Amino acid sequence: MAESNFIDYVKILCRSGKGGAGSRHYHRAKYVPKGGPDGGDGGRGGHIILRGNRNLWTLLHLRYQRHIFATDGQSGGAGRSFGKDGEDRIIEVPVGTAVFDAESGEFLAEITRDGEEIKLLRGGKGGLGNWHFATSTNRAPRYAQPGQPAIEKSVILELKLLADVGLVGFPNAGKSTLLSSISAARPKIADYPFTTMEPSLGIVSYRDGKSFVMADIPGIIEGASEGKGLGLRFLRHIERNAVLLFMIPADSSDIRQDYEVLLNELRQFNPDLADKSRVLAISKSDMLDDELREAIQAELPEGVPSIFISAVTGQGLTELKDLLWREVNSDERDQTLSFTHRPLDIRHRVPEEDEFIFHQEDDDDERELLTDEDWNDEFWEEESSVNPD
């Protein structure tokens, strides 16, 4: 992976801006001995916002920008002058990016459309100036509200590719060969296991100018859901696929058993994957005669559409496209996005990213991590200063 620019997992530290303090100013002018309070409100702190960008296909740009901080709001001034709001920080991510809490692994949000914006961290509210607290019995309040503190959080961004069809199979099952045969994608192909080291996307042309997207991931082996092989790191990329194309070579000793092993690994990774539409393709079928094909056909799992193909000779590829197109455009098309994000645990994390150490230095003051629910007017009033400007 060191030679690749495909980055699909990044851990970053985000901090919203703190709100500006309200002013405790009093109006002073010639011939106006008691002008009264006129301290302005503080500006709000900047937000941390996620925005989907269809022109991005990887999280590489965030690998070299681990700290993303919004600016603080400015304090209020005299004459009821409001402080300037802090500048928001917008993080542009590829469509299909999910956000998790780095500490607990809890799923927080996801970006599924181009231009979609999600407010990840809200900036602190600005404090009210002392003119808000003037009453008939307290005409010269000597206090104003401080601004809300910043919110700081370490998050994990995980890219899950958006594709119509996802290829599932053991190493050397012919997935990359099939993708290169029916699309313009040119994945690496070689006669050894785990040739595919990163996901590949291909646009498959269909009749009348129609097309659909196919995704290839590294081969899955038994125990992949427990961390064996490369499949665990890339299984996330088939969670958003509408149809799963299982590929098992014709020279397999037990096709039904191989299919059950692959299906079980998907269930262990995310149970929702077992509910997706499935198609079974028997690859490398150019080596079969009619007798062997009938014997294999009798052993195939029931209830799953199956087809014999050969990416080298082109056998069955047209029929495969027809079958996939019908499955992709069935009534269950919304399965692309409708699934439950499993929380991140130790098995689903990338060690080199999780061991990343954030060096944080605050020269001004120590920032307390509070949410909007933890901060209320009663707290503000208790912490308000009583000394006028």
Side-chain angles (χ1 to χ4, degrees):
M1 294 296 295
E3 60 187 18
S4 171
N5 287 332
F6 182 81
I7 305 299
D8 58 357
Y9 184 106
V10 168
K11 180 179 179 181
I12 61 176
L13 178 67
C14 300
R15 181 200 294 161
S16 62
K18 65 179 181 181
S23 174
R24 295 165 295 180
H25 191 270
Y26 292 88
H27 178 67
R28 292 179 175 86
K30 193 174 183 180
Y31 307 119
V32 185
K34 297 181 180 180
D38 68 346
D41 302 345
R44 69 158 177 85
H47 303 313
I48 300 295
I49 299 174
L50 290 180
R51 177 189 294 167
N53 187 340
R54 64 182 179 183
N55 296 320
L56 296 176
W57 66 282
T58 177
L59 298 172
L60 177 65
H61 61 293
L62 294 175
R63 193 166 200 178
Y64 306 103
Q65 190 180 9
R66 301 303 189 114
H67 300 127
I68 300 179
F69 299 156
T71 60
D72 299 333
Q74 296 182 1
S75 300
R80 299 189 183 183
S81 298
F82 284 63
K84 183 180 179 181
D85 292 341
E87 295 183 5
D88 299 335
R89 289 299 307 273
I90 297 178
I91 308 174
E92 294 198 344
V93 296
V95 176
T97 299
V99 187
F100 297 86
D101 189 305
E103 303 300 327
S104 64
E106 177 187 3
F107 169 73
L108 300 178
E110 63 178 337
I111 297 291
T112 57
R113 300 188 309 274
D114 179 49
E116 179 182 4
E117 292 188 354
I118 293 177
K119 193 173 295 181
L120 184 60
L121 296 181
R122 185 180 297 273
K125 294 180 180 178
L128 299 179
N130 60 349
W131 71 274
H132 286 278
F133 305 104
T135 65
S136 59
T137 59
N138 184 15
R139 298 185 179 182
R142 295 175 177 270
Y143 56 86
Q145 290 178 338
Q148 283 187 349
I151 302 175
E152 186 175 275
K153 185 183 291 292
S154 296
V155 298
I156 290 175
L157 302 181
E158 192 180 65
L159 176 60
K160 301 181 180 184
L161 295 180
L162 287 168
D164 299 301
V165 180
L167 295 176
V168 181
F170 292 107
N172 280 0
K175 303 187 298 300
S176 298
T177 304
L178 173 64
L179 186 64
S180 65
S181 299
I182 63 178
S183 73
R186 291 296 176 263
K188 184 178 180 180
I189 301 174
D191 189 19
Y192 55 84
F194 296 113
T195 306
T196 302
M197 296 294 291
E198 63 183 45
S200 301
L201 286 178
I203 307 297
V204 180
S205 300
Y206 193 60
R207 298 187 176 94
D208 301 327
K210 301 173 183 175
S211 63
F212 57 89
V213 182
M214 180 176 289
D216 176 25
I217 68 170
I220 301 173
I221 62 174
E222 187 171 4
S225 60
E226 301 296 328
K228 297 181 180 179
L230 297 177
L232 176 64
R233 178 166 180 175
F234 300 106
L235 277 173
R236 68 176 76 102
H237 293 295
I238 62 175
E239 286 184 310
R240 295 191 188 278
N241 302 155
V243 180
L244 301 181
L245 176 59
F246 287 75
M247 291 190 62
I248 301 177
D251 56 357
S252 172
S253 59
D254 192 333
I255 293 180
R256 180 187 289 269
Q257 177 63 25
D258 289 348
Y259 172 78
E260 293 297 333
V261 169
L262 292 172
L263 185 59
N264 181 66
E265 293 302 323
L266 298 186
R267 288 196 186 103
Q268 294 294 326
F269 180 76
N270 190 338
D272 286 2
L273 292 178
D275 298 330
K276 292 183 177 292
S277 299
R278 300 191 295 271
V279 174
L280 176 60
I282 310 302
S283 61
K284 306 178 183 179
S285 59
D286 53 313
M287 64 179 68
L288 300 177
D289 56 21
D290 294 339
E291 183 178 354
L292 288 176
R293 182 171 306 201
E294 293 178 0
I296 293 177
Q297 186 71 44
E299 298 178 356
L300 297 180
E302 300 178 357
V304 180
S306 59
I307 187 172
F308 291 86
I309 64 170
S310 173
V312 175
T313 63
Q315 172 188 341
L317 296 186
T318 301
E319 293 79 2
L320 176 63
K321 290 183 182 180
D322 294 337
L323 179 57
L324 293 176
W325 181 258
R326 289 195 300 269
E327 293 293 331
V328 166
N329 292 276
S330 66
D331 295 336
E332 300 178 352
R333 179 65 179 87
D334 59 349
Q335 293 183 67
T336 304
L337 301 177
S338 59
F339 69 94
T340 303
H341 294 270
R342 81 284 180 272
L344 293 180
D345 57 29
I346 189 63
R347 298 174 303 165
H348 303 119
R349 294 177 180 263
V350 180
E352 58 268 25
E353 290 289 335
D354 275 8
E355 293 171 0
F356 178 79
I357 300 176
F358 296 107
H359 296 283
Q360 177 189 359
E361 295 181 358
D362 284 335
D363 297 333
D364 299 336
D365 54 5
E366 182 178 356
R367 298 172 184 262
E368 185 178 1
L369 306 187
L370 295 177
T371 62
D372 288 341
E373 291 76 11
D374 299 327
W375 190 269
N376 51 44
D377 291 343
E378 180 179 355
F379 181 83
W380 282 10
E381 294 179 4
E382 291 177 356
E383 294 295 320
S384 297
S385 174
V386 296
N387 296 321
D389 285 346

